[in-house]
Amino acid sequence: YGKSLLVGGIRDLETVVADIDTTSGTVRERWANTKLNTQNFPYPAPAPVPGTQDGAVFNTFGYLQAPAVLHVTAKGARKVVDLAHDGSRALIRKLRPVEPYRWQAPDGTEIHGWLMRGPGKKPAPLIMEVHGGPISRWAPFFLGRSALHVMLADRGYAFFWPNPRGSSGRGQDFARAVVGDMGGADTQDYLSGLDQLISDGIADPKRIGVTGGSYGGFMTLWLITQDSRFAAAVSVAPVTNWVSQHLTSNLPYFDTFCLGSEYNDPNGNHFGRSPVMHAHRVKTPTLHICGALDRCTPPGQALEFHNALRQHGAESVLVTYPYEGHGVRTFPAMIDYAARITDWFLKHMPPRPQH
């Protein structure tokens, strides 16, 4: 509005809405919240109010809050529309609080993320979910929209959503730390977080699962080649071979940028950090999920790792959805997707003794 620029931003685990005076560069913070995020996920997107010189409107939601439209002015914030209803409130009652969690990586870097603890005081079976990107982040999202999270939480699983180096919200240097080193120091960020959760008595060391999509799918498979602690893994839209990924993907220069090597260098990260090159180490039962129409991480990526695991005697299942692309996003595939992943974790790291 006029000489003022409305912006949405992120500050570590916080979502921030502010005005910037385009003449002086002065920033006036309007709204900040740790528990709530604004649309679009994962980056904020406020909108000015037409015909006014003050205020902003944006959609908000949190892990345990259904979407609502918020109007923020200098006088404060008011809820304009609340999309919660009896059904969403019933789902929320099945869930446990989500809290910030912090730990130190082996090199001393402080890493942040989010944690939903198990239902009791004893160490719980825990699922670590790796975000995509890698330059992205986990921010509060409404868990009630996800049949998968509701079903798993209701059965007693804890959730861990880490934001390792490379994640957004902690400045350019922190984001750049993953560039040229994907699968390097970020690997230790995840493993050290799990070490701390075990040390704190939150996670059961014998029942730790890992899942993620895209970069998260790559990291899921990379982690199980580097560490044997995982009882179960589910990779979604993964990269497993950076050489064939470079030659078949619709974004071939992403890997060169984030790995810091060329695809035809046998001594570079394209070879050394391809999970398929280390598949012989894997003992973790692994479910691979991909879309036949995926052009970002083509379905052949999941197929390669699945075949490699089978060749070396590890338990592996491959599911290819014929009408899905980069991620599973349509019905009825989403129902099948949630049921398959829930069943996989129930089978390999049950939350309670099975009879």
Side-chain angles (χ1 to χ4, degrees):
Y1 14 77
K3 296 180 180 179
S4 181
L5 180 66
L6 176 67
V7 298
I10 47 181
R11 182 171 56 208
D12 194 6
L13 299 178
E14 235 178 350
T15 299
V16 181
V17 175
D19 300 329
I20 300 177
D21 188 304
T22 57
T23 303
S24 65
T26 303
V27 177
R28 180 174 56 169
E29 193 170 302
R30 290 290 192 186
W31 181 85
N33 202 296
T34 302
K35 294 184 178 181
L36 298 178
N37 188 26
T38 76
Q39 198 71 287
N40 295 319
F41 177 83
Y43 300 114
V49 179
T52 73
Q53 296 295 312
D54 183 33
V57 175
F58 46 89
N59 186 26
T60 63
F61 46 81
Y63 285 114
L64 302 183
Q65 180 175 304
V69 177
L70 208 63
H71 179 209
V72 175
T73 68
K75 296 179 180 180
R78 68 185 182 93
K79 196 177 289 187
V80 180
V81 178
D82 190 345
L83 298 179
H85 51 77
D86 290 345
S88 64
R89 285 186 279 268
L91 287 175
I92 291 169
R93 287 193 291 271
K94 292 176 174 286
L95 301 169
R96 297 177 295 281
V98 177
E99 62 192 75
Y101 191 74
R102 294 174 170 83
W103 68 100
Q104 276 201 339
D107 65 358
T109 302
E110 185 175 83
I111 309 297
H112 305 162
W114 301 94
L115 171 68
M116 178 196 285
R117 296 171 184 259
K121 295 182 178 180
K122 293 182 179 180
L126 179 138
I127 299 169
M128 178 171 71
E129 194 168 3
V130 182
H131 67 59
I135 301 174
S136 182
R137 68 161 185 160
W138 282 119
F141 62 96
F142 180 45
L143 288 163
R145 289 189 63 184
S146 169
L148 174 62
H149 290 96
V150 171
M151 289 193 296
L152 288 170
D154 191 43
R155 285 160 174 77
Y157 290 95
F159 280 102
F160 179 40
W161 294 284
N163 284 331
R165 69 194 70 202
S167 298
S168 305
R170 295 181 61 187
Q172 292 293 323
D173 289 342
F174 191 80
R176 288 192 186 101
V178 77
V179 176
D181 188 42
M182 189 166 55
D186 53 345
T187 304
Q188 299 306 316
D189 294 344
Y190 296 109
L191 296 177
S192 60
L194 293 174
D195 289 340
Q196 186 64 47
L197 287 163
I198 293 168
S199 177
D200 287 345
I202 295 169
D204 180 346
K206 295 184 178 179
R207 293 182 295 171
I208 291 178
V210 59
T211 186
S214 196
Y215 160 80
F218 153 70
M219 184 53 69
T220 292
L221 300 181
W222 179 246
L223 285 169
I224 65 175
T225 70
Q226 304 301 301
D227 196 290
S228 61
R229 76 179 72 196
F230 298 100
V234 180
S235 73
V236 182
V239 175
T240 70
N241 183 341
W242 288 109
V243 177
S244 57
Q245 165 73 8
H246 181 87
L247 297 172
T248 59
S249 170
N250 67 350
L251 35 90
Y253 300 105
F254 160 78
D255 49 88
T256 302
F257 175 71
C258 281
L259 290 170
S261 62
E262 297 295 332
Y263 82 94
N264 57 353
D265 179 2
N267 298 311
N269 286 336
H270 276 75
F271 280 75
R273 293 188 182 169
S274 286
V276 74
M277 304 299 180
H278 307 275
H280 58 281
R281 300 176 182 172
V282 176
K283 304 298 181 185
T284 303
T286 304
L287 172 63
H288 305 82
I289 294 175
C290 61
L293 306 180
D294 192 345
R295 298 175 62 198
C296 301
T297 57
Q301 291 295 313
L303 177 63
E304 286 189 41
F305 201 76
H306 168 66
N307 286 338
L309 290 188
R310 294 291 297 271
Q311 181 173 324
H312 295 289
E315 182 178 355
S316 179
V317 171
L318 171 64
V319 178
T320 303
Y321 289 98
Y323 303 113
E324 299 299 314
H326 194 58
V328 178
R329 307 178 191 278
T330 64
F331 290 101
M334 290 180 67
I335 302 300
D336 183 83
Y337 168 86
R340 284 180 186 273
I341 295 177
T342 300
D343 181 68
W344 193 258
F345 286 121
L346 286 172
K347 176 182 177 182
H348 295 290
M349 41 182 284
R352 56 185 66 88
Q354 302 295 292
H355 302 290

